[in-house]
Amino acid sequence: FNGVYLNNSRLFETEYFDTERVEVLRGPQGTLYGRNTTAGVVNVLSKKADDTLSGFIDASYGDYEYIRTRGAVNVPITDNLWQRFSVFYTSRDGYVDNVFTGDDIDDRDMYAVRSSTTFMFGERTEMNLAIQYFDEDSNRMRGSNNYCANDPDGVLGCLPNRGQPTDQGANTNGTVGGFLLNSVSTATGLNYPNETGLDSFRPNDIRDVNFDFTPQYEADETIISLEINHELDNYTLHSLTGYHESTLDARNDYDMTVNEALWPTSVTYQRGPDGPSTVNYLQQNDRANTEPEQWSQEFRINSDFDGDINFMAGAFYLHYESDVHFYVYSSALALYGETFDIPEEQWVFDNYDEGYELETWAMFGELYWSLTEKMDLTVGLRYTDEQKETERRVVYLAFLDDADTLTPYESDSDEVTGKVNLNYHFTDEVMVYGTLARSYKGGGFNPISPDSDLLNPELGGDPGLAFFEPEYINSIEFGAKTRLLDNTMQANVTAFYYDYEDLQVSKIVNQTSLNENMDADIFGMEAEILWAPNQHWNFMMNLSYLDSELGDYETFDPADPNQMGTVDGILSAGNQNILFSDDCPGGTGSCSGIPVNVEDNQLPNAPEYSVYIAGSYSFFLDNGMRWDISASYYWQDEFYTRIYNTEDDLLDNWDVWNASTTLNSAEEDWYAEAWVRNIADDDHYTGQYLQDAAVGLYRSVQLLEPRTYGVTLGYRFQ
């Protein structure tokens, strides 16, 4: 945001408002500014205050009781002090119906305010201060629905490689809730039944759910950026100070269903900020709670010599810290605690990350050399040093281990990276370029309990999984940036090849986000075309092609431990699955799963083809007004959501049509727009992820938003 690197931002939730532009830098970065990256940089630049009295306001209303208001006002206080205030507010009803409560959920209620101040100290010094606050209080869901091929034996909960049915639930006998209930039944002689997964009601409509806990989503964020630029005769000095803090408190239905099998007794259990609940059936909800805080400082100096050689040199520092909790509250855990006289404070699972700290600093720079009038060379280098540390406790059932014991973890890394770029200008309208670059992302530690079977060699585990290595990328990119047809067309084409070493890929195993390192290759091509043949027509087209392959690497699939798509040889221990097989690594006889080689598999979330096409036509009316009609179409190829590339991992291709029409006043000080999105009202899956064994390995899916329509009225002044 305004050049400030954000380690854990709320850009996922918020909206863009009063934005000057969004810069997208593809591939390895880090010799130019900020923190080193492997995939690229997205830099959101807000509008700065200037010396004009101006502003705007717009208001939108649509179906689902959609209301959005945005506005800004810019005021020159003195000749050298300018102030800008901007705001947005968005509210709408949910797109999902909860048949259990009769309420719609997954709504939005959020706003943000920003203050932007510009100070001019003479003609050579400019200071820009931006302060932004964002707040959301919604019942946002983490997924629109879930699907499962029911496991009738109650071992895995959901069977792998059965396609994607949406009308079945996980067999509770294969979950931690079922494990606890079976233990209580054995100890008391009473029947505490488990759901088979086929008993509870499951809606047929993909946008309907059956939840006994309404999601709660509370988030806020403060971002401050202070940028100072001072010009000397042949240099520009640049300072960028950043501060960021946020909180997130998100609660969801953990098993995403209503268990209808009733118990012979009731139990009361605490659910954190949502208070106690007294029930006589299995009820579970989770809570993710984080409070990150960071500050950063960056200095740069740029030269402006008359000769052929110039340079930029910089330094970067970032300190980030946070506490992270992931809680699971369960009536089965409370019942177990009551039955076996467990202290009440341990009737909760808490994946606890205390005092996580990241401290990183870097020196970087670029040399710019005009080799000829048409050829420019850029050489960049960066040195980065990173240190990470934390204390963690990752035990699902806190009473099975010392609930107060935290395990310390530390990770250090440093690296030299860089790039070489060559540009050649054939003409003023055609430039070609080639770039070689190398960058890296620091390694770290996996949140695994020292007692976990994943680290135990006698059970087929790997002690090395406690840590993961840095990720490296070697990049080659060639392209052309052109302006054609008398400057009516801008056409940019790019081809790139990424060679990843130790790419960091994560999966959920035994309530643990486990990062693994594997090699990967990506070849891609992109084309971006803008064409305005005359004053009436405007066209845009983006084309993308990706060919991605993983390298030689063996890892087990949590969804299919025996690689047979069955439950043969698998024992459910509630919060984990154990396979007994002679094929377990090292001849141990038991393990979490048989490794499968993912070589040549596609990377997750990497569709081979995607297309975006948009066009508009403008009518110029006799009274000076302008009437615009526009439409856009997006199509995305099928893609896999996990590295295993199984049938269940594959999501179909999908597309969406949008359209709008806008009437602009002759002075362009007001406009009225009518719009519709997802014209066909399609229910496409756009993403999914596999849940943990503790809830039966069901899959949560994300859906394309349904058809929405509305109107927007706007006014500008200057």
Side-chain angles (χ1 to χ4, degrees), residues 269-402:
Y269 73 106
Q270 298 295 326
R271 303 179 299 168
D274 298 294
S277 177
T278 301
V279 295
N280 63 340
Y281 64 94
L282 178 60
Q283 185 183 67
Q284 303 179 102
N285 67 280
D286 61 54
R287 178 189 179 198
N289 179 244
T290 62
E291 296 183 2
E293 182 179 23
Q294 73 168 66
W295 75 271
S296 61
Q297 178 63 52
E298 183 173 326
F299 295 107
R300 296 199 304 271
I301 179 172
N302 293 71
S303 70
D304 187 18
F305 301 136
D306 293 332
D308 296 332
I309 297 179
N310 278 283
F311 72 89
M312 181 278 298
F316 174 79
Y317 175 82
L318 169 71
H319 182 268
Y320 169 89
E321 60 184 28
S322 70
D323 288 338
V324 180
H325 291 269
F326 180 72
Y327 304 94
V328 176
Y329 309 102
S330 168
S331 61
L333 185 51
L335 179 67
Y336 188 99
E338 277 191 355
T339 303
F340 294 98
D341 197 26
I342 304 300
E344 187 172 355
E345 63 269 18
Q346 296 185 27
W347 297 359
V348 61
F349 161 56
D350 181 9
N351 186 334
Y352 182 28
D353 211 331
E354 180 182 57
Y356 172 81
E357 287 192 41
L358 163 67
E359 188 169 40
T360 179
W361 63 273
M363 305 290 290
F364 58 90
E366 293 187 342
L367 178 71
Y368 312 109
W369 187 5
S370 296
L371 299 175
T372 68
E373 290 185 356
K374 294 187 175 184
M375 185 178 296
D376 300 314
L377 174 68
T378 298
V379 178
L381 281 176
R382 180 187 183 97
Y383 172 78
T384 303
D385 183 277
E386 286 194 357
Q387 296 180 344
K388 301 175 183 178
E389 62 180 39
T390 191
E391 290 186 320
R392 284 176 167 169
R393 176 169 54 79
V394 187
V395 181
Y396 191 99
L397 306 177
F399 50 84
L400 298 181
D401 202 350
D402 185 348

Side-chain angles (χ1 to χ4, degrees), residues 19 25 92 98-99 107 130 143 161 201 214 218-219 227 279 286 346 383 445 453 491 554 558 622 690 699 701:
T19 300
L25 307 181
R92 67 160 172 81
N98 186 358
V99 299
D107 69 354
N161 304 324
F201 172 71
T214 300
E218 300 165 8
E227 181 182 20
V279 295
D286 61 54
Q346 296 185 27
Y383 172 78
F445 28 76
D453 294 346
E554 289 192 344
D622 293 340
L690 178 71
R699 295 173 186 251
V701 297

Side-chain angles (χ1 to χ4, degrees), residues 38-69:
T38 53
V41 172
V42 177
N43 187 18
V44 180
L45 296 163
S46 63
K47 287 190 176 180
K48 298 179 180 179
D50 57 37
D51 59 353
T52 63
L53 178 63
S54 60
F56 76 92
I57 186 171
D58 64 40
S60 301
Y61 180 77
D63 58 340
Y64 295 95
E65 298 299 320
Y66 173 76
I67 297 173
R68 185 183 69 178
T69 302

